[in-house]
Amino acid sequence: MSDHSTDAPTPSAAQIFAGLRVPDISRRRMLQLGALGIGAFASAPLLAACGSSSDTSTGTSSGASSGAAKKGGDLVIVRDHDAVNMDKTMVFSNASIWTYAQIYEPLVAMTEDGLGVRPWLAESYEMSPDNKSCTLKLRKDVKFHNGQAMTSADVKFSLDESSKTKGGWEFINSAIKEVTTPDDYTVVVTTKYPWAPLLADLSCPNNGIIPKDYAGKTKDEFYANPIGTGPFVWGTWQKGNALTLKKNPSYWQSGKPYLDSVTWKVVADSNARAIQLQGGQAHINESPPFSSLAQLKSTPNVKVDLFPSTRTDYIMMNQHKKPYDDVHVRRAISYAIDREALVKTILFGNGTPANSFLMPSTPFYDKNCPGIQYDMNKAREELSQSSVPKGFTTTWLAMSGDAVDAAIAQVLQASLKELGITMNIQNVDPSAQHDMTGKLDYEIAHSYWTMDLADPDELAQFALDPTSGGHSFDTGFNDPEIMDLVHQAQKEFDKTKRQALYSQLQAKAAESAFLAFLFYTPFPYATASDVKGFKVLPTGSYHMEDVSL
């Protein structure tokens, strides 16, 4: 761990980003703070939750139809870090989630556009007239990897397991009162109060269905060799090197999966990943640096995709420490951020400046919310109205080795200097930065968020309701009026009225400058030209059953 302060010049943002790896800790770092997380609250869905559905179509991703896809093949994905664990109730890392999503499946799944849910292990669902319960009818053709038929008893066990966890994903199910099983293929989920996000909550990875009582194993034994209903079964895991899942020959989607196996191989060096893709040792390169995309696009037999994501980078300011309790200080700093410059230097133009704490790929995002954008005159005006009109000295808590964090700090440091604000930079290990911000032991820092559900409540609750346990994104922000809007939106099933509430929330949150929203970033992927049907959802997950070679 390094721990030092400096206000010395740093390399250009482009140089920083091109040369360094971006640690994964930021992704669901919030979740790990306590019981929250990335989707830290009971999140969830769209208006699909308001009605009923019996559409059992699963659909296929672009490029792989049942009539054209080739069967067989062992696909290799190269990534810069390994999974952590397969425990769906406790683990928040993307590398783990995107892997175990191929093993465990939910009752309902996110639609490809990320704006709703669709039937999955449940073939239909219907809300009660009072919007306090949802009845789900299960598919009768689903078996676990051990050959055992899936029934409502397994569903109840799975949902109860996620709800009773401590320090994991239990916040997602916080509105659930009870789960009952009228018969083997019917499940009724009852909530404590009307809860609009319920269906989206049920689509969250933590609510994947597993066998009752861990199929006779202990919890630790089960998650070391997990069983689900998904398209791929547990294979081998050489930790730090490679994890392989094998084809489920009895998968309920007839004819799928197409692949014989999928291997996630750890290759820390970005250049080595690109070489392996080009040389045929790998088929998919997960998250190549933005600085490399132009070259990859000109590489024969390689395709580059920028999938819409739910990632938003932001600057957080600890309102428990002066002068960040002063809204004028926070607004001044937010106005002083040249977001366009950040997009150009950090993302090489592959992104857009943020105007809201919600992202464009999230339901109820309001594109008309202006947010606070770069304007140094307004920054000076706000600071002049603050408790520190002549400026002050502050410390940026940086994550060592994080290219994005370093570039943002460099740009902000220069802008704040024009306002008379001296920003020193304290570099610490990413895990230490995570712990310190979680304890509100910092002044100003950077992080980011990605969604796990098709509903803004996951984010709104964690970011704006300090009672959720996340300290309002570790800022200490506490606004009763905004909290009330969050709670109203959670219980509102009318789409128009819910949009109005979220539009108000986005405007008021921006005015409060509780965070300085920075930019929205897509998910970059490079794939071999023979890969068909690979598509990434806005949450970052994907359906490998639709992929073929």
Side-chain angles (χ1 to χ4, degrees):
M1 175 187 297
S2 62
D3 185 352
H4 63 279
S5 299
T6 178
D7 57 1
T10 57
S12 72
Q15 289 173 323
I16 293 172
F17 194 81
L20 296 178
R21 167 178 173 262
V22 183
D24 183 53
I25 189 170
S26 298
R27 149 83 177 160
R28 280 183 172 72
R29 63 188 302 288
M30 290 301 182
L31 301 187
Q32 296 166 313
L33 294 183
L36 299 130
I38 173 164
F41 346 152
S43 218
L46 312 179
L47 284 274
C50 305
S52 64
S53 174
S54 59
D55 177 10
T56 58
S57 166
T58 58
T60 55
S61 298
S62 60
S65 66
S66 58
K70 180 181 177 181
K71 292 190 175 182
D74 301 301
L75 184 140
V76 176
I77 300 174
V78 285
R79 54 173 34 162
D80 68 356
H81 56 278
D82 201 2
V84 176
N85 194 298
M86 295 297 108
D87 185 346
K88 66 184 180 67
T89 68
M90 294 298 295
V91 177
F92 305 111
S93 80
N94 281 337
S96 301
I97 292 172
W98 299 344
T99 302
Y100 71 57
Q102 316 309 318
I103 301 174
Y104 321 123
E105 297 181 297
L107 296 173
V108 293
M110 175 181 284
T111 54
E112 288 189 356
D113 61 8
L115 299 178
V117 296
R118 54 177 168 165
W120 205 254
L121 295 184
E123 62 183 8
S124 68
Y125 48 82
E126 184 173 6
M127 295 297 297
S128 63
D130 64 0
N131 288 323
K132 292 178 66 176
S133 69
C134 183
T135 299
L136 302 101
K137 295 293 185 178
L138 305 181
R139 299 182 63 94
K140 297 180 180 179
D141 56 352
V142 179
K143 293 184 178 181
F144 289 107
H145 298 158
N146 62 357
Q148 172 188 329
M150 182 197 73
T151 70
S152 59
D154 303 301
V155 173
K156 175 177 171 55
F157 173 80
S158 301
L159 299 182
D160 287 348
E161 180 207 28
S162 292
S163 301
K164 295 175 182 177
T165 300
K166 300 298 181 183
W169 286 87
E170 68 275 3
F171 55 85
I172 291 294
N173 295 349
S174 62
I176 295 178
K177 179 180 179 180
E178 64 176 347
V179 179
T180 56
T181 56
D183 59 53
D184 283 351
Y185 294 99
T186 303
V187 175
V188 179
V189 180
T190 302
T191 55
K192 302 169 185 174
Y193 26 71
W195 189 255
L198 177 59
L199 280 178
D201 291 348
L202 295 178
S203 75
C204 192
N206 73 297
N207 283 323
I209 307 305
I210 62 175
K212 180 182 177 182
D213 297 327
Y214 305 112
K217 300 180 180 180
T218 67
K219 182 175 182 177
D220 289 343
E221 289 172 342
F222 177 83
Y223 284 118
N225 191 357
I227 294 172
T229 64
F232 292 90
V233 304
W234 189 249
T236 60
W237 189 7
Q238 297 175 313
K239 291 193 175 183
N241 183 23
L243 189 158
T244 297
L245 300 183
K246 298 179 180 179
K247 177 179 181 175
N248 175 7
S250 302
Y251 189 47
W252 58 273
Q253 290 192 48
S254 180
K256 296 182 181 181
Y258 305 115
L259 299 168
D260 291 330
S261 71
V262 179
T263 296
W264 288 264
K265 183 180 178 182
V266 179
V267 181
D269 183 75
S270 61
N271 290 325
R273 294 198 303 276
I275 292 172
Q276 290 193 18
L277 179 65
Q278 186 175 5
Q281 292 86 23
H283 302 93
I284 298 176
N285 182 357
E286 184 179 286
S287 300
F290 287 106
S291 58
S292 70
L293 297 188
Q295 182 177 354
L296 285 170
K297 288 178 181 178
S298 64
T299 302
N301 300 316
V302 171
K303 179 185 178 184
V304 174
D305 284 298
L306 295 174
F307 295 101
S309 85
T310 54
R311 171 168 172 159
T312 302
D313 285 69
Y314 54 83
I315 292 173
M316 48 190 179
M317 294 164 272
N318 185 359
Q319 295 182 34
H320 287 189
K321 296 201 174 185
K322 293 183 179 296
Y324 295 112
D325 58 336
D326 187 332
V327 66
H328 295 293
V329 170
R330 302 195 303 271
R331 287 176 183 163
I333 290 176
S334 194
Y335 274 122
I337 301 168
D338 189 344
R339 293 162 178 80
E340 292 281 0
L342 292 176
V343 169
K344 291 178 181 178
T345 58
I346 295 176
L347 306 181
F348 291 78
N350 297 292
T352 54
N355 66 311
S356 168
F357 72 94
L358 294 183
M359 50 292 286
S361 54
T362 303
F364 306 110
Y365 162 78
D366 190 345
K367 66 180 180 181
N368 296 316
C369 176
I372 293 180
Q373 301 300 325
Y374 182 55
D375 189 323
M376 289 303 293
N377 289 330
K378 288 185 178 180
R380 294 185 183 92
E381 181 181 344
E382 288 288 348
L383 195 64
S384 69
Q385 300 177 55
S386 76
S387 56
V388 284
K390 295 183 180 180
F392 59 97
T393 297
T394 191
T395 298
W396 173 278
L397 189 62
M399 291 180 281
S400 300
D402 187 317
V404 173
D405 189 84
I408 292 170
Q410 175 197 348
V411 173
L412 183 62
Q413 188 180 53
S415 291
L416 295 187
K417 189 174 182 180
E418 294 184 37
L419 298 178
I421 300 174
T422 299
M423 190 180 86
N424 297 318
I425 298 174
Q426 178 186 9
N427 286 293
V428 298
D429 182 86
S431 61
Q433 198 256 23
H434 163 269
D435 292 340
M436 293 172 71
T437 54
K439 296 175 182 177
L440 297 182
D441 183 18
Y442 79 102
E443 294 177 5
I444 184 170
H446 154 257
S447 190
Y448 73 90
W449 169 278
T450 56
M451 298 287 287
D452 298 278
L453 311 166
D455 194 277
D457 178 64
E458 175 185 30
L459 176 51
Q461 186 178 157
F462 193 71
L464 299 171
D465 183 358
T467 64
S468 70
H471 307 299
S472 298
F473 268 154
D474 294 333
T475 64
F477 178 65
N478 189 341
D479 186 319
E481 182 181 0
I482 286 181
M483 285 174 57
D484 183 61
L485 287 172
V486 171
H487 297 159
Q488 289 183 53
Q490 290 169 341
K491 301 176 182 180
E492 181 56 68
F493 282 74
D494 181 272
K495 184 175 181 179
T496 301
K497 293 179 180 178
R498 205 165 185 228
Q499 178 65 70
L501 289 169
Y502 278 116
S503 291
Q504 288 185 62
L505 269 175
Q506 289 169 79
K508 290 183 178 297
E511 291 170 5
S512 75
F514 84 105
L515 296 177
F517 324 130
L518 298 177
F519 45 74
Y520 306 123
T521 309
F523 289 126
Y525 273 83
T527 60
S529 59
D530 59 346
V531 175
K532 308 298 181 184
F534 180 73
K535 184 176 182 179
V536 178
L537 298 173
T539 55
S541 192
Y542 33 73
H543 288 277
M544 293 307 296
E545 70 269 20
D546 292 334
V547 180
S548 64
L549 288 172

